[in-house]
Every structure is written in C-alpha cells, then in structure tokens.
Amino acid sequence: MNHRIFIVLLLFSIFSQVNAQSALKLELYTGPQLGYQQLVNDSRPSIEFQPKLANHLGLGILYSIRSDWQLAIQSEFTGIAYGYTFYPNFPSVDDSRRFTARGGQLWNHRLGLRKSWEKGDHALYMQPMLGITKGRFIDYSEYDTLASFNFLTTRTSISLNKGLELGMKFYTKNKNYFLVGLRHQQGFNDLYPTDFNWFNNAPVSTIQRRGSYSGLVLGYGIDFKGKTKEEKELWKSGKEERKINKRNLAWSNGSYIMISGLLRFRPKYEREQNLEFSHISGGNEFLVGYTKGSWSLESGYNRWRAYTNVILLEGVNNHTPTDYRMDVIPLRLRYHLDLGTRQRLRVGASTAAMVILGSEGPYWSSFAFARRGEEVIYDLASVPIEQQVLGKVFFNAGVFAEVPVFNSSMFTFNFSRNFGSPEVGRVLLEGEFSKGNFSETFAGTLNGWVMEIGYKLPLNIVFKK
C-alpha cells in the first residue's frame, strides 16, 4: 500500500509542475493479448494444453523530455486464460473433456522511453521498456498437524520484464489522440505455478508462466494543454456553427464504429416451461462500418449466449446446462432513409450473415437427483458434448432507427430476427428416470427475435482537422 501511495504522489507532483507547459499526457488502453504459458510434468500425458486470448487494461502517464522523446510510466492488469483437453480414461482417448479456464490476472508496472515521429495528423512511435510483473497466489504449504488442515497464506511472486511497443497515434482536432499499437513483453524469471493437483497424478502437472505476452494496444490519449483566453473567446463565438457542422458530418458518408448490447428471445419450442423469463438471453457486439449514400456495410465481432433445449419428462422439468458462449463475425448490409430536413431521425432495414467462430462452456458435467420417499424420481447427468461449429452460418434480418445524441453521434435501435441457425450447445442427458435408463442428446439454436440498443460514433467527427 505504501508504494502505491508513493506512486500517486509522484504522479501528482509531476502533473502539478508540467501541466501548464503541456508536457504531460494521460493514456488509457486495452486490447487482446496472448500470454505465453507452458505445461510441465504432464504425467500421463493426458492434457493437450494451449494458451488462450485474454485482455489487458492499463493506464499510462507520459512526460515530454524533448519534442520527440517522452518518459512513460505504465501500470496494467493482464488476464490469464488457457485451454486443455483431459482424457479421464487414459490411455483410452475415446472419452475426452475440453476446458477453458479464465480468471486471475497479473499486474505489470513498467518504465519506458518513447520516440515519436510526427506526420501531421498522425505519428509513429517506438517504446522500449523495463518493469516488473506481480502475481498474487494462495500458498497452502503451511500444514497444521494437530488440526489436520493447511493454512491459506496470500503471497506475491515477482518477475522482471522487458518489452517493446510499436504503434501509431491519430490526432483529433484538440490534439488528443487514438492509439493503435503492438506490444511484446518478455519475463525473466518464473512466477507462481498453477497445479493440476485434482488429477491425483504424480508428478503433478503444472502451468508455468513468466508474465510474457504479445498483444494489441487500443487506447486514447489526453493532452492536458490548456487554452489561452483568446482561444476560449473564439471557441465560444463559433459554438452554433460547430454544432451544425458536427451534425452534418455525423450524418454524412464515411466510416463509423458502433457498440451495442442485445437481448435475444428464444423461439417458443426452446423455452423453459412455466418460467416466463427463461427465454431471454443477452449478448454484445462491436462493429466497424462505412456509409455511402443510403447504404452501409459493416462487420466486427458478436458474442451471443446459446441455451440448450429444456426437457420435460413425466411432469418433471429438468434444465440441462445452459450458458454456452458463441463467438460470431457478422457481415451486415443496411439501407436507410433520413426523415425530415433537420437530421433527427433515420430509419431503415438490414440483413446479415453471421459466421460462427466457436463456442465455449459449460465444460463441467452437472447432476440432478430427486426422490419421493424411497422412490427415485430421477438421477441424471448432463454431459457437454464437443461440437465443431467453426465456419457455420446463420442469418439475421430486421429494421432499425437512429436518433442523434450530442450532435456528433447516434443511438441505434434495431429489431430483427435470427434464422437458419445450426444446433449449438449440445449436451448428453443420461441416467435413471422412473426406474428406467435414459440417454438422449439435446441442443439449442441461435434463432429468435433480437432487440439491440447501440451507440454509433462516425469517425468524421473524431478525425476532423
């Protein structure tokens, strides 16, 4: 805690001294990253281990020491994710379970030196850096022989790291900027291990990491330069004109980005009996598009939730595992009309093809048991089934409306329907039911009505000179 207070005070001191000279900039960034992890002591071998994409979220303070050189102080969280396949009946590989583990994070602190090459409304930069990676873990090594249990002690492991970042800055009209870059960080020594000790094998299979990763940096930089009195007066005098220009730019041709949240209403045949809200699932999407006249073409990334069918056996309602996550790339074509002369309402229709990238979860089997007196009503296990859905396509069509917000962007309301979805979220339900054996496969789809609310930002506004 003391070192965190020191860092805050140091940054506040720097800010207080250099703000007037515009030597200070603040950066917020995120992006996907692939952490380099390896499996050691695979005892059977029974595990096919593979690192997975996670995310990182960070904050940076930059201090100008020359016109083209800056000192960078950065602090960030990086997520941990990996996948593995387990064969419970090894050496037989007929039965397998595939898992994806997400959770936990590492904390990186680093000091860098950034060199920039200014090119008018954009700049190239290179930033070598040194730092440390911190990982917190629970140590079970202290054992109380009298009470027969392990003490849980939280500890911290540290690895030194070095890195290099290359990227571009795209300036806005007020000299703030968007940031796009590539970063690689290499750790020098091992952090705490993650053990697969629940497999009861010797030696224990262990995941080892050093905090190394490669990732994409997507950020926004804020320049703390203040305006002079003359600049402030000029800014006030042109307020109404800027308002009109911003609205015209926002509704004109050009590129845009859009972020949406959505609700999908499952078809009636997939809904759970007697539970009114069981047929509603959520999702989100990030889109990049281009408008030309009355037409727009957009693509990006969608994340849907898929649910298995619900079974009803002799009056017993048994819900199989739900909550499959589906990653999808949409390709959508929109046609619109602007109503009125003041650019306050846009309506249109859209159609889209959705390409499925893959699915995740649930990866653990679940069990359901009930009895009435001595009679067993059911004793069932729901086992997820591995499913190849990569490249499969379903479709979407609907209508939408857009209204302006802040004169420079729009809220988008979309009402559509998914159709043609393949089966997703398959599970095998097996066991005993009413003193008889039961075994049947169930699945859901991504069909149904979809309601979306999104925020659309035309890039004409952002990169206006």
Side-chain angles (χ1 to χ4, degrees), residues 181-198:
L182 295 173
R183 175 188 297 153
H184 176 75
Q185 174 177 293
Q186 181 66 48
F188 287 110
N189 53 279
D190 293 337
L191 294 165
Y192 67 94
T194 299
D195 296 333
F196 286 89
N197 48 17
W198 57 86

Side-chain angles (χ1 to χ4, degrees), residues 368 376-381 430-438:
V376 175
I377 302 176
Y378 58 85
D379 186 1
L380 300 169
E430 58 184 356
E432 181 185 352
F433 185 82
S434 297
K435 299 181 180 180
N437 293 329
F438 182 85

Side-chain angles (χ1 to χ4, degrees), residues 16-277:
S16 300
Q17 296 177 37
V18 303
N19 183 38
Q21 291 79 32
S22 185
L24 191 70
K25 295 178 176 59
L26 173 69
E27 289 182 353
L28 304 170
Y29 62 86
T30 185
Q33 54 88 7
L34 181 65
Y36 297 107
Q37 308 169 81
Q38 63 177 345
L39 185 71
V40 296
N41 297 331
D42 190 357
S43 54
R44 293 196 176 186
S46 58
I47 303 172
E48 296 175 3
F49 180 81
Q50 183 180 18
K52 294 282 189 178
L53 284 175
N55 197 16
H56 63 145
L57 179 66
L59 173 75
I61 300 291
L62 287 93
Y63 172 58
S64 296
I65 53 181
R66 285 181 51 183
S67 60
D68 55 349
W69 287 92
Q70 295 171 303
L71 183 66
I73 302 174
Q74 295 175 327
S75 184
E76 70 180 15
F77 287 107
T78 59
I80 297 173
Y82 54 88
Y84 58 95
T85 300
F86 174 57
Y87 301 99
N89 301 318
F90 190 84
S92 172
V93 294
D94 293 336
D95 189 19
S96 65
R97 300 287 186 270
R98 181 170 293 179
F99 306 94
T100 294
R102 296 183 183 274
Q105 65 273 325
L106 303 175
W107 195 1
N108 297 310
H109 305 291
R110 64 175 69 94
L111 186 66
L113 190 62
R114 180 177 294 185
K115 166 67 175 177
S116 299
W117 293 270
E118 300 293 333
K119 305 290 183 180
D121 60 353
H122 67 279
L124 306 175
Y125 72 89
M126 177 180 67
Q127 179 181 308
M129 46 204 173
L130 293 173
I132 61 172
T133 299
K134 296 174 59 179
R136 296 180 65 83
F137 66 101
I138 297 177
D139 186 359
Y140 297 90
S141 60
E142 297 183 28
Y143 183 73
D144 189 320
T145 56
L146 183 63
S148 299
F149 66 85
N150 291 81
F151 288 104
L152 277 63
T153 304
T154 301
R155 302 189 186 279
T156 300
S157 61
I158 295 177
S159 172
L160 298 176
N161 66 63
K162 62 181 179 179
L164 179 66
E165 183 176 329
L166 304 172
M168 295 186 66
K169 297 185 290 184
F170 300 91
Y171 291 106
T172 65
K173 56 182 178 295
N174 57 3
K175 280 302 181 179
N176 293 338
Y177 55 90
F178 287 90
L179 190 73
V180 179
L182 295 173
R183 175 188 297 153
H184 176 75
Q185 174 177 293
Q186 181 66 48
F188 287 110
N189 53 279
D190 293 337
L191 294 165
Y192 67 94
T194 299
D195 296 333
F196 286 89
N197 48 17
W198 57 86
F199 291 161
N200 296 319
N201 296 326
V204 175
S205 301
T206 300
I207 299 175
Q208 190 57 266
R209 57 181 68 90
R210 296 186 172 188
S212 303
Y213 75 87
S214 296
L216 182 64
V217 180
L218 304 173
Y220 186 74
I222 301 173
D223 191 328
F224 287 103
K225 179 182 179 181
K227 291 184 175 66
T228 64
K229 182 177 180 180
E230 292 76 13
E231 289 175 331
K232 290 180 180 179
E233 292 297 328
L234 182 62
W235 178 262
K236 291 180 181 179
S237 64
K239 183 177 180 179
E240 189 62 31
E241 181 182 355
R242 288 195 309 274
K243 179 179 178 180
I244 296 173
N245 290 338
K246 286 170 63 176
R247 180 74 65 86
N248 290 336
L249 282 173
W251 290 70
S252 63
N253 296 337
S255 304
Y256 61 87
I257 58 175
M258 184 163 64
I259 300 174
S260 300
L262 59 89
L263 294 175
R264 181 175 67 92
F265 299 82
R266 287 189 290 162
K268 290 184 179 180
Y269 60 85
E270 293 187 32
R271 299 179 187 178
E272 185 163 353
Q273 305 295 321
N274 304 318
L275 290 177
E276 295 297 327
F277 296 101

